């Protein structure tokens, strides 16, 4: 067995913590260096999970002892850090999105697409065991030819208004996960028809943003991908998938902590409420995401989303934003 | 199409009403005569559903215009009425049980088993569409060789103490349905091991009866039939079946009025409570029971339970009563 | 109890037969006259279900003994027959759609909306027990304020190409049911965004029609109604409803004949395939539809869809057709 | 945080491997010493999971650096090793059963019950997240007073005939898990009524053993615990629990790897087959079992089954063996 990869983690917010846990529990990785411009964050994380703390991310590129980077710092730093990773020849797994500005993304596009340094985008939902199983069985032909993919994606509750104000809007911040999921099944999307709604939040409306969306994507073989979003869901994190094909259908419903069902005089067959936080629902997918990227680094076959996957999700988010604003279907190209 | 069979109904209590409804809605039967020693009951029923009312059941045997009898009068009258039906050559569908006294049943046994007049016992659960579908698929080999049958049967709430006092005890009154269901799958039972429990009702305990039971039957091929009963169930009428075989399993769960599911912050995937009354749950089975008996009268293939089926259910109930009292397994014979 | 309403049935095709069955089994109606320009159809239906046959529908208006009409003749005859019914003062339940041409519909609009003669459109799905239960509970506030309604509606297999050629296109022929269902929950729709797809049928593509659709409707309170259709579904008639609100969610899934589940080495918890034909799935709803119209005739509270409901479904279908053709969201008005 | 407990593992067979994995992944334990009289087994396990290997279990008692023992060696060694652990003052988690011979168990009973050294029996199913959640909610009163507990427990396939020949019989080898589960809900059992069946295996019949069982236990408050077992199940490891109480019911059904459901023309709502091996089904419970024992060692509140729990499960297994042989209900005492 090869020596564990020494991981350099940049960013120690909520997602950074999740990655630190994945790194610690993965047999092929160790947490070696932890960077955050807020020195306290780096120190606390290093103390809990191991590694050396610094408030200077550049140290991770120059130290010469980092085998792999995980970039979990603010979105605005992603482009710069990915480029440095490429230049330093260090494989990097970067949280989504690459950037909110497609023009900035495109400045790095050619370099990122042509480099031999493994770069991956953090679309962790691809690695959820339930969704991954469904996709594997669709690919294996269990429903014939895929014709329709229905994605339901509702958050338990909106993030803070402060966060939402700089999020880039619901399509770039929330639906972007669904755009990547869409492309995981239907890589080549040709048009986007989107609508935004203001259904419950005056705060979000005040930001000029939507609190719910509906998006119809058309694939190059006339596949339909239908996405519905809401920024809230009383019954918990609502993450479902339905694949419909020429010979049948497959679905993933929501996940409960246990499968205890309850029967009383007021209701029967009731389960406990759904997991209410993305960390519960997607903890396994973060672990599998890391595992998949480790395979990529070792030259094995891997499903890690590429830089181009990250770019295309943003292209679709931008097209959706435009479609919702103009009331027209927007053509897109590329795959 | 033959002229509809002219039905004579004896007994206009709750079950009599159910039969009247089935007769009226069946294209091959009409309600022709209605008898009840309580004249008012007969009159009211005839007014609602048709036919001529009388307070003298004997009129139905002598009138010469009754093609089929439905006997829904008190248990103590069953033996006598079945015998009269045989003597009069009129096919009769009699409610369960034949009688609470096996010796009285045996006085009619030879005659009932040898007559060519169609006689059927009202074990309506055989005709529940769900149970019937399960049995048909078990017979068709969908689970290989049947090894175990698990019957859950819980009433929503106990009948009145007055009724229970003359019911013959839980094994003869309630479990008897399950004994017939057992024999529908495993006709030849060789032993009975039963226990009675007093779990919630002081009234029932005061009657010297049980409010819950557990019964294990052994079939001649070492099949196991496991029955659990309770006289109450907060979540509604609890009627389930599980057939386990060498190549798999089949189950029937409880039935809800609609399949609406509800998702809130306290529970998810919840259905409405189960149907709370045997008439809702088994209305279809009463209709199908009648239909099956009409087929028998017309000489077609039919699953109608025979007099001997009725007798064997009582034999098993008696064996269970003895087993529960003595703490020993009781051997039975016959099929 | 009032004397049963004497029904005049016009049209004895597949749907006409369904209505005849409902009429016969409803205690408050009898089949009195049956008309079809194809005399044989009228005769056969009258023989099976009762009533006098004629090949001249006009007889039903002039006879003076018809209390209620059911119009199940070809779409092109609907406008004329509804008008005659109004003029004759005979309540009429007319199959959907009123007409494929909105201009023809509008010639009758004022008259139909102002008459005191009960007129109802045959959107039977409103009366499906499952959908009706869901709607009642949504109206009762069980999910708070309704924000999103997701309608999945897939036929088991396409109708004949001959039929489809004159159907008016998928939005007017198939989605029209879903447009009415949308308005049953969100009466006031303000815009339609629709897309059509050619996913599997060259025949349908050859007709210039779509075999699948996706439609997003916007309600006046920014509700979202999302519809997805397909002209085929290997797993059977796929008719589902999901209502999402501020305090939870409610769903109706598909219906199986029995609730037997099967467990083997290759799959577990499997039910039999879904009902494969609209008559199985919606038989109850046709019965309830008739019952609701009988209530309306008797001046009782009733949910029967009105002429205007029928008109609005066509308005939405037309808007969807335009939206799919132009790639733009189409505004609609009225409720 | 305290230093991790240094674990000494005795026995490196299949269950020993499972414990090694749990120890390695638990933050509060490290694998320090590994003993197996088959030296190769100890070496291989130590190489994979860490620690020093030995073929002499006595070294673990004398070394002075073992904080906790896990005993996973053959059943016949358990009594001796538990006694040594008590004498050495080393907490020990011992696999079930304590011994197949109640007289041998009773020689250690007083000592084991009076020692302050933490001793636990490996009834891991108590710690299955699903069963544990159900029990916690029953204890919290979610179904009122517990009246009936139904345990279904079927293995995917029989163990080897060689193993079964020395297993002590199905009640002591397989049902013993269910007896402990029964006592987890109903600690005081007063009688046992059991039956054994030979349903499919000539090999097992040849051993004079049963391949299926049914057991009814009676609790001191007239609770019923009903257990059904089979040594095979085509649909996978079949481990279910139903708790029925005065105010409702709770159930745990079987677990599938993912919640993907499949819909085709032959079946709908089908999941993949159940997990087919106890390690998949109960991996989490082994982890939680260790965690609970670590708490016990640290003096925290703990649900670890005691020596007496292990003894009572054997008492019930013996009573069941006698009941099945004699056809009588057998009284038991103690709790």
């Amino acid at each position: 067995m090869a020596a564990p990869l020494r991981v350099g983690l940049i960013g120690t917010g909520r997602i950074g913590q999740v990655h630190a846990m994945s790194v610690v529990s993965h047999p092929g990785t160790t947490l070696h260096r932890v960077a955050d411009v807020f020195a306290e964050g780096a120190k606390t994380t290093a103390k809990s999970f191991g590694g050396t703390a610094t408030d200077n991310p550049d140290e991770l590129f120059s130290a010469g002892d980092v085998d792999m980077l995980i970039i979990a710092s603010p979105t605005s730093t992603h482009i710069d850090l990915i480029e440095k990773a490429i230049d330093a020849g260090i494989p990097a797994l970067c949280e989504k999105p690459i950037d909110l500005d497609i023009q900035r993304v495109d400045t790095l596009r050619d370099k990122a697409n042509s480099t031999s340094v493994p770069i991956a985008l953090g679309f962790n939902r691809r690695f959820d065991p339930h969704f991954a199983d469904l996709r594997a069985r669709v690919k294996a032909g269990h429903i014939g030819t895929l014709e329709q993919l229905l994605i339901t994606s509702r958050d338990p509750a909106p993030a803070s208004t402060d966060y939402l104000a700089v999020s880039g809007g619901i399509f770039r911040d929330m639906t972007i996960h669904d755009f990547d999921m869409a492309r995981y099944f239907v890589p080549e999307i040709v048009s986007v028809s989107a609508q935004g709604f203001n259904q419950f939040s005056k705060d979000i409306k005040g930001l000029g943003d939507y609190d719910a969306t509906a998006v119809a994507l058309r694939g190059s073989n006339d596949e339909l991908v239908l996405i519905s979003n809401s920024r809230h869901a009383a019954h918990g994190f609502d993450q479902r998938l339905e694949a419909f094909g020429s010979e049948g259908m497959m679905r993933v419903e929501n996940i409960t902590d246990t499968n205890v069902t309850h029967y009383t005089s007021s209701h029967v067959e009731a389960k406990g409420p759904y997991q209410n936080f993305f960390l519960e629902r997607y903890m396994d997918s973060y672990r599998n995401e890391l595992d998949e990227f480790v395979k990529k680094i070792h030259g094995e076959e891997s499903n890690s989303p590429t830089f181009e996957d990250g770019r295309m999700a943003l292209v679709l988010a931008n097209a959706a934003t435009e479609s919702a604003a103009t009331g027209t279907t927007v053509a897109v190209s590329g795959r």
Side-chain angles (χ1 to χ4, degrees), chain A:
Chain A
M1 202 162 74
L5 296 170
R6 294 163 296 181
V7 174
L9 172 67
I10 305 177
T12 60
R14 201 167 60 173
I15 293 284
Q17 301 292 316
V18 175
H19 285 295
M21 272 188 274
S22 294
V23 167
V24 166
S25 66
H26 192 289
T29 57
T30 58
L31 191 56
H32 196 64
R33 290 183 180 270
V34 180
D36 198 310
V37 292
F38 301 103
E40 271 315 302
K43 279 181 198 165
T44 306
T45 301
K47 197 172 168 190
S48 297
F49 297 100
T52 310
T54 175
D55 64 356
N56 179 8
D58 284 342
E59 280 185 21
L60 276 57
F61 297 97
S62 60
D65 57 6
V66 169
D67 302 318
M68 167 188 163
L69 280 168
I70 295 179
I71 302 171
S73 48
T75 298
S76 58
T77 67
H78 289 180
I79 291 275
D80 185 44
L81 290 170
I82 295 172
E83 184 160 23
K84 283 182 180 168
I86 295 172
D87 290 343
I90 306 177
L93 170 61
C94 181
E95 266 305 315
K96 48 109 314 216
I98 305 177
D99 198 278
L100 294 172
D101 180 348
I102 187 69
Q103 292 180 297
R104 291 201 63 214
V105 171
D106 282 346
T107 60
L108 191 58
R109 186 184 183 191
D110 288 345
K111 187 171 186 171
N113 286 348
S114 60
T115 182
S116 62
V117 180
I119 302 293
L121 262 289
F123 288 119
N124 62 291
R125 290 184 195 176
R126 291 192 179 202
F127 304 108
D128 172 69
H130 309 280
F131 296 156
D133 183 27
L134 186 147
R135 180 174 178 271
R137 292 177 65 183
V138 168
K139 290 282 163 193
H142 293 201
I143 59 167
T145 304
L146 179 69
E147 294 176 0
Q148 304 187 5
L149 183 74
L150 278 67
I151 302 174
T152 304
S153 174
R154 298 175 182 132
D155 281 347
S160 70
T161 308
D162 284 354
Y163 171 82
L164 292 176
V166 297
S167 68
I170 190 169
F171 293 114
R172 288 188 194 90
D173 177 61
M174 180 176 174
T175 323
I176 198 164
H177 279 291
D178 307 309
F179 290 132
D180 183 65
M181 186 61 77
R183 290 189 62 258
Y184 197 39
F185 285 82
V186 183
E188 198 166 350
I189 301 293
V190 300
S191 75
V192 180
S193 175
Q195 296 193 75
F197 297 82
N198 291 102
Q199 299 188 328
F200 69 92
S201 168
K202 286 184 181 165
D203 287 351
I204 292 175
K205 191 171 188 177
L207 295 172
D209 199 358
Y210 309 115
D211 54 31
T213 72
V215 182
L217 305 176
R218 187 187 298 267
S220 55
N221 295 313
D222 237 20
E223 302 96 335
L224 161 65
V225 181
L226 202 52
I227 301 167
S228 59
N229 285 162
S230 178
R231 283 286 194 187
H232 76 161
H235 51 285
F237 201 24
D238 197 353
Q239 299 281 300
R240 288 174 280 145
L241 212 51
E242 172 179 326
F244 169 76
S246 57
E247 294 172 25
M249 181 167 72
M250 261 186 201
R251 297 162 80 185
V252 167
E253 293 287 308
N254 286 308
I255 310 299
T256 48
D257 282 332
T258 72
N259 86 351
V260 173
T261 49
H262 194 205
Y263 305 69
T264 74
S265 58
S266 65
H267 60 250
V268 298
E269 303 176 17
K271 295 186 175 179
Y274 294 127
Q275 297 172 331
N276 206 24
F277 194 41
F278 77 99
L279 290 187
E280 294 169 2
R281 177 65 182 82
Y282 287 120
M283 184 53 81
D284 282 346
S285 69
Y286 280 102
R287 284 200 198 98
N288 295 342
E289 173 186 83
L290 175 64
D291 192 51
E292 207 70 12
F293 189 55
V294 167
K295 284 185 197 162
K296 191 173 190 172
I297 293 174
H298 290 315
E300 299 166 27
E301 193 173 321
S302 161
N303 275 320
S304 284
T306 62
F307 183 91
E308 193 62 19
D309 287 328
R311 181 184 172 276
M312 280 309 301
L314 183 61
V315 167
L316 295 178
N318 286 346
T321 306
E322 179 189 342
S323 175
T326 62
T328 58
T329 299
V330 173
V332 293
S333 64
R335 52 169 293 153

